[in-house]
Amino acid sequence: MPATDHTALLAELDTLLESHFDEFVAFRRRLHMHPELSGQEFATTESIVSRLQVSALRPTILRSGTGAVCDVPGLRPGPVVALRADIDALAMDESIDAPYRSQVPGVAHCCGHDVHATIVMASGLILARLLRRFDAPPGSVRLIFEPNEESVPGGAVEVIEQGHLAGVASIFALHCDPKADVGLIRVSEGAITSATDIVRIRLTGPGGHTARPEQAVDLVKIAGRIAVDAPGLLDAAASRPGAMRLVFGSLRAGHAPNVLPSHASLDGTLRAQDWDDWQAGPDLLVKAVEQLVGDTGAEGELQHDRGVPPVVNDPE
């Protein structure tokens, strides 16, 4: 863009932001008040699509009925730059006392996806104005509103399978960070978020009475051993300490204090910051479980639900 246009561009940007500021705040608060869980973001999608259509843009809703993509065309052909936001909420109650708090019991935008969606929507509206009035570089911008992000493997797979990353030269996204001061944007090269897989381990074995533990298999002890020792085994096998994290959020076994159960289960997540670690994760977990179960007499079954690869920022 010619230097003579740069000052005018920034002035126009400030004017557009100021004139639409209240609208964008109100839009975000409406999303916040009416959160929707993963795969159920129908009203959220409709709100985004309707606002984009008002500005003469032509969004496309994904085939699942939730989530959307929308191209903001430039004046000349060129690379496609994508801006991505997620739009689903979390299954939890909201504790804040504000006029715009969640109106849906057990569902809340506590991960900032309402903010992400509003920022990308607003960016699209402003870019649609600026690309028509200034000598912008060749190319276009694609807005991606990803549904179902909180599930595994998530809505990104749907976006890719439907061809919406075809021709995209680069993609940008951001995430709210409660540890960062308001107005501060942090940028980092390299690994920025981990891949997340869901792991479920089921143990079975002959139960019995705690008075005669030698006649049974102590699945509580084995499950505890896996919960305590498996994370260390995977960490030791990773490319560097902390690059692979296995954390269990649920361990269930038995119902009575004097009965050794015949079933036990552990559910957790396996996160990896490095692509090679993520690829190796399933085999490493299988080996760790086999090592810890050993010849105890228990039978183990592992279900490993793969997520999406880690986000590694391009230094450029």
Side-chain angles (χ1 to χ4, degrees):
M1 181 173 297
T4 53
D5 287 344
H6 193 246
T7 301
L9 172 77
L10 292 177
E12 179 69 7
L13 176 60
D14 287 342
T15 299
L16 289 171
L17 286 171
E18 183 176 354
S19 62
H20 289 281
F21 180 80
D22 291 341
E23 177 199 349
F24 295 154
V25 170
F27 185 89
R28 178 257 166 176
R29 291 182 174 179
R30 283 197 301 274
L31 294 185
H32 195 89
M33 291 175 66
H34 305 286
E36 296 174 298
L37 293 174
S38 301
Q40 303 176 25
E41 313 95 326
F42 296 100
T44 302
T45 299
E46 179 58 31
S47 295
I48 294 167
V49 166
S50 297
R51 184 58 188 87
L52 293 172
Q53 290 174 333
V54 168
S55 293
L57 295 172
R58 299 179 178 179
T60 298
I61 298 176
L62 301 182
R63 289 196 285 269
S64 63
T66 65
V69 296
C70 181
D71 283 354
V72 181
L75 296 178
R76 293 175 290 168
V80 178
V81 175
L83 305 180
R84 172 265 184 194
D86 35 20
I87 64 174
D88 51 342
L90 294 173
M92 59 184 296
D93 289 313
E94 185 167 38
S95 59
I96 68 167
D97 184 16
Y100 51 86
R101 66 177 297 165
S102 172
Q103 302 298 301
V104 183
V107 185
H109 269 300
C110 293
C111 200
H113 294 189
D114 53 333
V115 180
H116 305 165
T118 302
I119 289 172
V120 170
M121 185 275 296
S123 298
L125 299 184
I126 289 177
L127 284 168
R129 295 278 297 273
L130 295 180
L131 293 180
R132 296 168 188 162
R133 297 189 56 184
F134 292 87
D135 185 20
S140 60
V141 175
R142 180 165 300 162
L143 313 177
I144 298 176
F145 300 93
E146 176 192 345
N148 210 20
E149 190 271 342
E150 294 290 351
S151 66
V152 173
V157 173
E158 180 182 2
V159 172
I160 294 169
E161 288 179 343
Q162 295 181 28
H164 296 303
L165 286 191
V168 171
S170 57
I171 183 167
F172 296 86
L174 52 71
H175 200 293
C176 292
D177 184 354
K179 299 183 295 295
D181 293 336
V182 172
L184 177 66
I185 297 176
R186 291 174 170 169
V187 180
S188 175
E189 66 179 67
I192 186 72
T193 63
S194 299
T196 303
D197 296 353
I198 303 296
V199 296
R200 307 179 193 278
I201 301 171
R202 302 293 180 259
L203 301 172
T204 58
H209 200 284
T210 57
R212 299 180 179 86
E214 69 279 359
Q215 297 179 2
V217 174
D218 192 342
L219 295 184
V220 175
K221 181 186 293 185
I222 299 169
R225 184 184 303 160
I226 293 173
V228 172
D229 293 341
L233 293 174
L234 267 72
D235 184 61
S239 59
R240 64 184 187 280
M244 196 180 326
R245 289 188 174 183
L246 174 64
V247 180
F248 293 102
S250 172
L251 192 161
R252 300 182 299 277
H255 303 284
N258 61 340
V259 177
L260 291 172
S262 58
H263 294 81
S265 63
L266 302 93
D267 297 335
T269 59
L270 176 60
R271 301 175 187 268
Q273 293 185 343
D274 180 84
W275 177 279
D276 291 334
D277 288 336
W278 181 62
Q279 293 288 78
D283 288 339
L284 292 174
L285 182 58
V286 168
K287 292 177 181 177
V289 173
E290 289 178 345
Q291 176 181 332
L292 294 170
V293 172
D295 58 359
T296 60
E299 295 290 334
E301 179 183 341
L302 173 62
Q303 178 183 338
H304 194 135
D305 297 330
R306 299 287 271 161
V308 293
V311 174
V312 181
N313 280 342
D314 189 326
E316 298 297 325

